[in-house]
Amino acid sequence: LVVGFENRMEAERFLVAFRERLAKFGLELHPEKTRLIEFGRFAAQERERRGKGKPETFTFLGFTHYCGKRRSNGTFTVWRKTAKKRMVAKLQAIKAELRFRMHEPVADVGAWLRKVVTGYYRYHAVPGNIDRLSVFGQRLRRLWWLILRRRSQRPARWDQLTPIYTRWLPAPRVLHPYPTARFLATHPRWEPYA
């Protein structure tokens, strides 16, 4: 649970009230998964002032959230990147399935991989996460290459398989822009302070 508050006492009061509210409905917070962390616009400045280093991160819905600055103007933003455990688990599942499909035609395996990668990108393609998606794509290509090498007495070189990767594995791109970009795409003539 992460909620932005100016001071710790206010956050602790909220946490107590939130636990009571959940108890009314027979729900409770998991004690090992619930903690108060210093997070938000001023967290980095406050922690630096006290000599504690960078603000803590937290993982929620498959993303690791951390405090950062926009590249354009240096203002505060929350950056999200794919959680390491989730990416490793997905690659291991793909590796097992590739091993199972090792002797199927390349076109069939490529069509299956395109569906898997497209679905993965549709969930994880948020601003600031393209680097992680690129790493995912590189590791996926390497897994497929290792499987294709085992199919033959004459293993294929990496550069021979580049057209196959280009044909079947899409490149990552941001699919979920910030809410203001979505709004302005549907309301192009809107002026906030007219």
Side-chain angles (χ1 to χ4, degrees):
L1 174 70
V2 177
V3 181
F5 290 101
E6 295 299 322
N7 60 42
R8 189 159 185 90
M9 282 185 15
E10 191 178 330
E12 288 173 358
R13 272 200 310 268
F14 169 80
L15 192 58
V16 169
F18 189 58
R19 281 192 174 113
E20 291 172 1
R21 176 85 173 141
L22 288 176
K24 288 182 181 178
F25 300 101
L27 302 171
E28 60 184 33
L29 294 173
H30 196 287
E32 293 176 12
K33 296 181 180 179
T34 306
R35 65 188 169 144
L36 289 175
I37 63 171
E38 198 170 2
F39 194 88
R41 190 168 40 156
F42 304 111
Q45 297 167 357
E46 291 295 319
R47 290 179 67 86
E48 185 178 332
R49 186 176 57 80
R50 293 194 311 265
K52 289 194 170 188
K54 293 181 180 179
E56 294 180 67
T57 64
F58 66 94
T59 302
F60 183 64
L61 295 176
F63 291 100
T64 300
H65 298 70
Y66 60 98
C67 296
K69 295 181 180 178
R70 287 187 176 87
R71 294 179 183 106
S72 59
N73 57 9
T75 57
F76 170 79
T77 189
V78 176
W79 287 113
R80 295 172 290 175
K81 61 183 178 182
T82 305
K84 184 178 179 182
K85 284 170 63 174
R86 180 173 275 208
M87 185 163 71
V88 168
K90 187 64 173 178
L91 287 169
Q92 286 176 344
I94 290 173
K95 180 181 179 181
E97 186 66 22
L98 281 173
R99 183 85 174 118
F100 180 74
R101 294 174 178 248
M102 181 166 43
H103 297 293
E104 290 183 14
V106 173
D108 293 349
V109 176
W112 170 76
L113 271 177
R114 177 188 285 160
K115 290 178 186 176
V116 171
V117 171
T118 302
Y120 187 84
Y121 287 171
R122 281 186 181 157
Y123 185 82
H124 293 95
V126 297
N129 196 30
I130 292 299
D131 293 341
R132 276 289 171 100
L133 295 181
S134 297
V135 169
F136 177 80
Q138 290 168 354
R139 291 183 181 170
L140 181 64
R141 285 190 290 275
R142 184 171 176 356
L143 287 175
W144 198 11
W145 175 64
L146 291 172
I147 293 297
L148 289 174
R149 282 178 58 103
R150 296 191 64 152
R151 286 171 44 141
S152 171
Q153 297 294 325
R154 294 179 304 167
R157 294 189 323 271
W158 181 267
D159 58 338
Q160 291 174 320
L161 298 177
T162 302
I164 293 173
Y165 301 145
T166 305
R167 167 78 173 91
W168 295 111
L169 300 178
R173 61 188 178 92
V174 174
L175 298 174
H176 305 289
Y178 288 112
T180 53
R182 274 196 211 126
F183 181 80
L184 292 174
T186 57
H187 301 84
R189 294 183 181 199
W190 182 75
E191 295 180 23
Y193 303 108

